[in-house]
C-alpha cells in the first residue's frame, strides 16, 4: 500500500530566487500594519479598556441560554456583550465595556449593572446573580501594557535561545521572522477592527511559538547541510534545506488549518478573532521561515567554516 505524499520526493523549487520581491512585499506589509496601528489603533476589548463582569447562574436549567441572553442584553444599548460559560454549563459571565463617563461618575456603571441584572431576572425566573465586578480603565491599561511586554520579552528570549543554540545570524533571523509574523497579525486587527482582548494575546503567543517551531526546523536542516556541503553556494544550500523540510511544513500547516478553519466557520462567535489570528499566523509563519529567516543568513554572511563537519560530510551536492 502506497502512502499518500502531498509533496513529491526530491523537490527542487528555487525559493530564494524570489527573495528580493518577497522581501519588498514583507517590508511594505509590515510598514502598512504599523501605520494602521498608529493611525487607526486597535479595537481594545474589555480586558484593556475597563469593563464590567456580571456572573449569573441558571439554577433550574442544565445549560445557560447564551444566544438568547446575548440578544436580550444587546437590545439594552450598552454594546455587544461577551458571554461565556463560567465553570458549569449553567454558569455564565457577561462582560461589557463601561459606559462613557463612568471613570468620573461611578453611578453610571452601577446603573448599567442594575438595568442588565433586572432584565435578566425579568426574562429568566431561575436566574441568580452571583456577583458584579468592575475593572477600571487604568487597571486595564496596565494589563494591556503588561501583555505587550510579555510578547516582547517572549520574542527576545526566543531569539537569544536560537543565538545560543546556533549562531548569532540565526538569532537575528529568528527575531526578524517573529517581528514580521506578529506585525502582520496585529495589522489584521488594525484593518478589520475586530476586538483585541486577552484571547487574541494568547493567539499571538501561540503564533510566536509556531513561528519559532517552523524557523528552528528549517534552521536545523540548514545547519546540518552546512556541515555536509561546505563548498556549496549558500543560496543553493538554503534552497536545498527548505525543499527537504517542505513535506513536514505542508503536513503540519495543513492539519492545523483544517482544524482552525472549522473553528472559524462553525465555532462560537467569541473565538472568531482567535481563530482568524491563528489562521493568518500559520500562513505568515510558513512564509517567513522561507522568505525572512533563510535570506537573513545570506545578508548577514553566515560563515560555513564555523560549523564542524559531521559524519558523512561532503564537498559537493549529490
Amino acid at each position: 500500500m502506497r502512502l499518500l505524499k502531498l509533496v513529491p520526493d526530491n523537490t527542487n523549487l528555487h525559493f530564494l530566487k524570489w527573495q528580493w520581491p518577497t522581501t519588498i512585499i514583507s517590508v511594505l506589509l509590515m510598514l502598512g500594519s504599523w501605520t494602521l496601528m498608529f493611525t487607526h489603533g486597535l479595537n481594545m476589548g474589555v480586558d484593556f479598556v475597563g469593563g464590567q463582569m456580571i456572573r449569573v447562574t441558571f439554577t433550574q436549567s442544565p445549560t445557560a441560554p447564551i444566544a438568547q441572553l446575548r440578544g436580550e442584553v444587546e437590545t439594552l444599548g450598552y454594546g455587544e456583550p461577551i458571554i461565556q460559560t463560567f465553570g458549569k454549563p449553567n454558569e455564565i459571565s457577561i462582560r461589557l465595556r463601561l459606559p462613557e463617563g463612568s471613570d468620573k461618575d461611578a453611578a453610571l456603571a452601577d446603573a448599567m449593572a442594575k438595568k442588565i441584572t433586572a432584565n435578566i431576572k425579568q426574562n429568566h425566573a431561575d436566574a441568580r446573580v452571583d456577583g458584579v465586578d468592575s475593572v477600571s480603565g487604568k487597571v486595564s491599561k496596565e494589563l494591556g501594557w503588561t501583555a505587550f511586554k510579555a510578547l516582547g520579552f517572549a520574542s527576545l528570549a526566543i531569539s537569544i535561545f536560537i543565538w545560543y543554540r546556533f549562531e548569532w545570524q540565526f538569532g537575528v533571523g529568528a527575531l526578524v521572522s517573529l517581528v514580521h509574523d506578529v506585525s502582520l497579525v496585529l495589522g489584521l486587527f488594525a484593518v478589520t477592527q475586530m476586538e483585541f482582548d486577552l484571547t487574541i494575546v494568547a493567539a499571538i503567543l501561540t503564533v510566536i511559538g509556531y513561528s519559532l517551531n517552523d524557523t528552528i526546523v528549517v534552521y536545523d536542516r540548514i545547519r546540518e547541510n552546512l556541515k555536509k556541503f561546505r563548498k556549496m553556494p549558500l543560496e543553493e544550500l538554503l534552497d536545498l534545506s527548505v525543499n527537504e523540510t517542505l513535506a513536514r511544513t505542508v503536513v503540519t500547516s495543513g492539519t492545523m488549518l483544517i482544524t482552525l478553519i472549522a473553528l472559524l466557520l462553525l465555532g462560537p462567535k467569541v473565538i472568531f478573532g482567535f481563530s482568524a489570528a491563528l489562521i493568518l499566523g500559520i500562513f505568515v509563519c510558513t512564509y517567513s521561515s522561507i522568505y525572512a529567516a533563510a535570506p537573513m543568513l545570506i545578508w548577514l554572511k553566515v560563515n560555513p567554516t564555523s560549523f564542524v563537519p559531521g559524519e558523512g560530510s561532503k564537498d559537493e551536492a549529490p
Side-chain angles (χ1 to χ4, degrees):
M1 180 179 177
R2 297 183 62 184
L3 296 175
L4 174 65
K5 290 187 177 181
L6 299 178
V7 178
D9 291 330
N10 301 317
T11 55
N12 188 27
L13 302 175
H14 300 292
F15 291 102
L16 273 296
K17 180 175 68 174
W18 305 100
Q19 59 178 294
W20 286 112
T22 54
T23 298
I24 293 170
I25 292 171
S26 295
V27 170
L28 290 175
L29 287 174
M30 288 173 64
L31 289 175
S33 297
W34 285 103
T35 300
L36 284 170
M37 278 189 284
F38 282 115
T39 55
H40 289 217
L42 297 171
N43 180 23
M44 296 295 189
V46 173
D47 299 316
F48 299 135
V49 298
Q52 201 161 60
M53 183 173 74
I54 302 170
R55 288 175 283 113
V56 182
T57 300
F58 293 86
T59 57
Q60 303 300 319
S61 305
T63 58
I66 293 177
Q68 182 183 346
L69 269 174
R70 183 175 287 112
E72 293 169 356
V73 175
E74 216 170 329
T75 58
L76 298 178
Y78 292 112
E80 184 179 350
I82 299 173
I83 303 178
Q84 297 172 302
T85 55
F86 189 78
K88 298 178 182 178
N90 63 339
E91 298 175 355
I92 60 159
S93 66
I94 304 171
R95 289 188 294 162
L96 285 158
R97 293 190 180 191
L98 290 171
E100 291 185 12
S102 58
D103 287 343
K104 298 178 180 178
D105 186 2
L108 293 174
D110 293 337
M112 181 180 79
K114 288 178 181 177
K115 187 173 181 180
I116 293 172
T117 53
N119 180 272
I120 293 172
K121 289 179 179 178
Q122 180 182 346
N123 294 324
H124 305 274
D126 63 334
R128 184 187 72 216
V129 177
D130 297 322
V132 178
D133 302 311
S134 294
V135 179
S136 69
K138 182 179 179 181
V139 172
S140 296
K141 287 177 182 176
E142 291 176 357
L143 178 63
W145 176 237
T146 302
F148 279 104
K149 283 196 295 184
L151 294 176
F153 285 135
S155 301
L156 185 60
I158 287 167
S159 300
I160 293 172
F161 164 76
I162 295 177
W163 185 336
Y164 171 77
R165 187 69 178 80
F166 297 88
E167 294 286 335
W168 70 267
Q169 293 95 335
F170 290 82
V172 174
L175 184 59
V176 169
S177 294
L178 288 175
V179 171
H180 170 273
D181 300 341
V182 172
S183 296
L184 296 194
V185 174
L186 290 173
L188 170 68
F189 286 86
V191 170
T192 62
Q193 289 296 296
M194 287 189 289
E195 190 171 88
F196 190 92
D197 53 21
L198 283 177
T199 306
I200 307 306
V201 174
I204 292 176
L205 286 170
T206 305
V207 168
I208 289 175
Y210 189 87
S211 178
L212 166 68
N213 181 64
D214 231 18
T215 301
I216 282 185
V217 167
V218 175
Y219 273 177
D220 191 58
R221 185 55 60 92
I222 290 172
R223 183 181 60 175
E224 292 303 313
N225 285 336
L226 282 169
K227 296 177 182 178
K228 291 168 63 178
F229 310 118
R230 297 167 65 78
K231 293 184 179 180
M232 182 184 290
L234 187 55
E235 184 173 323
E236 189 178 331
L237 186 142
L238 296 179
D239 271 333
L240 172 66
S241 303
V242 172
N243 277 284
E244 287 178 346
T245 58
L246 189 60
R248 174 261 168 206
T249 300
V250 169
V251 171
T252 303
S253 300
T255 51
M256 290 280 291
L257 286 172
I258 290 171
T259 305
L260 290 170
I261 290 172
L263 282 176
L264 185 77
L265 299 177
L266 305 175
K269 188 176 181 181
V270 71
I271 63 168
F272 183 88
F274 178 83
S275 304
L278 287 180
I279 288 173
L280 178 63
I282 296 297
F283 280 109
V284 297
C285 288
T286 303
Y287 168 88
S288 68
S289 67
I290 298 171
Y291 288 114
M296 286 299 295
L297 301 182
I298 297 176
W299 304 331
L300 296 175
K301 302 185 187 305
V302 66
N303 183 12
T305 61
S306 62
F307 295 87
V308 179
E311 292 184 6
S313 62
K314 303 174 184 179
D315 287 335
E316 297 179 357

